[in-house]
Amino acid sequence: MPRDSQGMSLAPRHRPYLTAGAAFEIGLKPMDPAQWLDVGPDHAAFMAAKRARLAGCPPLYYRSLERSQAAQTELLGLAVAHLLDRHGDAFAGDERVLADMIDGSRHDLGAAGREPLDMLGAIVEEDFVLFGREEGRDIVIAASNAYTSSGRIVSCVGRDMHFAHEPVPGLNASLAARIDRVIGNVQADKPVVRFNWFVTPIASRLFPEGSHAANVEAGEEAARVLRADHRKAGDTLWLRVERQTFLRLPQTGALAFGIHTYSDPLSVIAEDRESLAALHRLLGDYSDERLAYGGMLATRGAIMQWIEDQLAC
């Protein structure tokens, strides 16, 4: 595995493709509560970009219902307590003021006129979607979603997640009912985690406006470059991993769905034969429809050739 000058591993923090299958999977696993929130090596630069995107709470990135306020307050309190307990090297303060010691920002947790979820979005790298149980269904009651700019998740506020999943080929038809059951069965003392992944030419953790179309267009442009020389794939493409956490809030009973996105150059797995073999298998097994949705259909051939080169070394 590649290492930096201090001997630290340069491998991706998470490698969900090692155990992924060709079919869509929910793939929930128990989560250690101590691992709930994460602070990455690019925290300062990333948070500056995230705050800029969320500034003013534009409807594309943020929306809430009035009845979400109690759940928002509970989530903010739990998150601050977690940061102080588990990330004391990065955060300091109390329930009134929280200081980010990495980028020097200070957050007045009791600021008037600002919703708790909006405030939390400016503190942590995670995005959050809050679900409330209403008439036997889990309804999205608030969402802060800076990672993607399609507005699809934010548009779910007041609805269930079926609306967000409609563009994903075959997902609602095959897994919608099971997803509903899984969300409904998450217990307060048993948080869970799952992952998504894909390969993209877009390096930024914050996707550009019109995220899906932008990714597909970038993939087609990258494919034109890689058709001339597939050996550039490692430096042209990025492994994007999305970590999704599900935490039932004990007081309000709301469900906090957290999203943390990671982005690493494809080249970091050049010596990781296990990851190379897993990606090669999945790219060969995925349907064209699924690859097209993830923006990987145009680049699949070049990626597989690049992987084969690495495995032949």
Side-chain angles (χ1 to χ4, degrees):
M1 195 72 69
R3 295 182 179 273
D4 65 15
S5 59
Q6 282 75 47
M8 299 295 290
S9 174
L10 296 178
R13 187 172 181 84
H14 301 285
R15 299 184 295 163
Y17 31 81
L18 294 182
T19 56
F24 281 111
E25 302 169 325
I26 298 177
L28 286 176
K29 297 180 180 179
M31 180 185 72
D32 179 355
Q35 304 301 315
W36 180 33
L37 304 179
D38 198 5
V39 178
D42 62 342
H43 176 78
F46 175 75
M47 289 308 303
K50 186 184 182 191
R51 290 176 193 132
R53 173 164 282 191
L54 291 174
C57 299
L60 195 63
Y61 306 116
Y62 187 93
R63 189 176 297 174
S64 67
L65 302 178
E66 180 61 33
R67 59 183 181 268
S68 70
Q69 294 303 308
Q72 289 191 42
T73 299
E74 184 180 8
L75 175 60
L76 176 62
L78 290 174
V80 169
H82 176 91
L83 293 173
L84 294 175
D85 181 39
R86 298 294 178 178
H87 295 286
D89 56 336
F91 292 91
D94 52 33
E95 68 277 3
R96 295 169 298 174
V97 178
L98 185 70
D100 185 324
M101 296 186 291
I102 297 176
D103 67 10
S105 61
R106 290 176 61 83
H107 306 274
D108 178 359
L109 302 177
R114 190 171 186 187
E115 294 195 342
L117 183 60
D118 175 36
M119 189 174 301
L120 182 59
I123 296 172
V124 298
E125 296 179 33
E126 283 78 8
D127 282 347
F128 276 103
V129 179
L130 277 170
F131 291 84
R133 193 73 174 170
E134 301 179 1
E135 298 181 356
R137 295 191 304 156
D138 282 289
I139 302 299
V140 179
I141 56 176
S144 177
N145 181 223
Y147 281 117
T148 64
S149 57
S150 68
R152 194 78 187 181
I153 290 180
V154 169
S155 296
C156 285
V157 173
R159 318 174 189 230
D160 58 26
M161 281 296 283
H162 294 188
F163 178 74
H165 291 153
E166 279 178 6
V168 185
L171 182 59
N172 276 339
S174 61
L175 289 175
R178 188 178 173 200
I179 290 172
D180 288 344
R181 289 195 302 272
V182 165
I183 290 176
N185 289 332
V186 176
Q187 301 176 36
D189 58 345
K190 296 180 180 179
V192 292
V193 63
R194 70 175 301 275
F195 294 88
N196 287 329
W197 73 273
F198 58 94
V199 180
T200 174
I202 300 175
S204 174
R205 292 164 64 190
L206 298 176
F207 258 26
E209 187 172 349
S211 50
H212 175 69
N215 185 46
V216 171
E217 182 179 351
E220 292 171 349
E221 177 59 32
R224 285 191 283 272
V225 173
L226 296 175
R227 276 195 290 271
D229 188 356
H230 71 272
R231 294 171 299 178
K232 295 181 179 179
D235 298 320
T236 301
L237 303 174
W238 294 72
L239 271 169
R240 186 176 178 90
V241 169
E242 186 177 275
R243 179 178 182 258
Q244 300 178 350
T245 60
F246 299 81
L247 179 74
R248 182 72 66 184
L249 306 184
Q251 295 179 10
T252 60
L255 181 70
F257 168 42
I259 306 167
H260 192 127
T261 299
Y262 304 83
S263 182
D264 294 283
L266 184 61
S267 59
V268 301
I269 65 164
E271 299 176 25
D272 179 359
R273 301 183 71 84
E274 188 179 20
S275 292
L276 292 168
L279 286 181
H280 193 276
R281 170 181 58 82
L282 290 170
L283 290 171
D285 290 346
Y286 281 175
S287 67
D288 286 357
E289 187 178 33
R290 181 168 181 182
L291 289 166
Y293 175 75
M296 296 184 288
L297 183 59
T299 55
R300 171 173 58 180
I303 298 171
M304 294 182 75
Q305 283 183 285
W306 178 83
I307 290 173
E308 289 162 8
D309 287 352
Q310 312 315 306
L311 291 173
C313 294

